[in-house]
Amino acid sequence: MANTKTKLKRKRRTAKAVKRKRSSHGYQGFSMASKGEVEFAKRCDRNGIPWLYEPEKFDWAPPMAKYTPDFKITTETGQQFFVEYKGYLRDKDKTKMRMIKEQHPDLDVRFVFQDARKPVAGARLRKDGTRLSHGEWADNHGYLWAEGFI
């Protein structure tokens, strides 16, 4: 019996948190994080919209970290903005994006959600039985957003 407990303890001690891995979704030489990002890039190409994948990084704190927007888009008029493609808005993403908005107020970042009506992580149940959606979160924090494509 003691031997079994020892084995269990060893397993628990050696268990490590698993970092989210970069997926193997590729397009035009880029290793993208999701199938959704690949589809977004393909739709940009079909619509003649120039894009770059993760071309720039921005500092934010706390903690001191780097933010890398998913896409940089250039319009026909030469206007440039960043697109953050999200299937699911996690707590750490919400914190990061609030800090980016505060620390880089002139940075034009826009969201493209797979499903803008999906509830955000940790959203409390409201009196009407609904939860805060991705689109509502973006509105509340001053971000432009779209569903599916720009």
Side-chain angles (χ1 to χ4, degrees):
M1 187 109 173
N3 195 14
T4 305
K5 286 182 182 179
T6 306
K7 285 181 184 177
L8 288 175
K9 284 182 184 178
R10 281 190 205 137
K11 284 183 182 176
R12 286 185 191 139
R13 258 193 313 218
T14 59
K16 295 179 182 176
V18 178
K19 279 189 169 184
R20 193 168 62 145
K21 293 180 181 177
R22 276 309 247 194
S23 65
S24 60
H25 306 289
Y27 181 64
Q28 291 193 358
F30 294 102
S31 176
M32 296 186 177
S34 69
K35 289 179 186 176
E37 288 182 1
V38 170
E39 187 55 36
F40 179 83
K42 288 179 179 179
R43 287 186 73 182
C44 284
D45 285 345
R46 285 193 300 266
N47 288 288
I49 299 170
W51 59 272
L52 294 172
Y53 185 71
E54 296 185 342
E56 296 181 39
K57 296 178 186 283
F58 301 92
D59 291 326
W60 68 280
M64 197 59 183
K66 299 272 187 200
Y67 163 59
T68 307
D70 295 328
F71 295 93
K72 185 175 186 178
I73 304 293
T74 304
T75 65
E76 290 176 354
T77 61
Q79 179 190 12
Q80 294 183 333
F81 60 91
F82 295 95
V83 171
E84 189 65 35
Y85 187 89
K86 288 288 180 200
Y88 191 71
L89 196 55
R90 293 169 173 77
D91 285 334
K92 67 178 185 171
D93 295 325
K94 293 186 295 186
T95 300
K96 174 176 57 179
M97 296 314 296
R98 283 193 305 264
M99 298 307 289
I100 290 295
K101 188 66 139 177
E102 181 181 305
Q103 295 170 22
H104 300 276
D106 297 331
L107 190 63
D108 188 357
V109 178
R110 304 170 188 195
F111 282 92
V112 173
F113 297 115
Q114 281 181 342
D115 181 358
R117 296 165 301 199
K118 185 187 294 186
V120 296
R124 293 187 181 125
L125 192 62
R126 297 186 275 209
K127 289 181 182 179
D128 65 359
T130 63
R131 296 181 189 276
L132 183 73
S133 71
H134 285 73
E136 290 172 320
W137 182 91
D139 287 339
N140 291 347
H141 293 283
Y143 282 103
L144 296 175
W145 62 273
E147 185 175 48
F149 192 62
I150 51 177

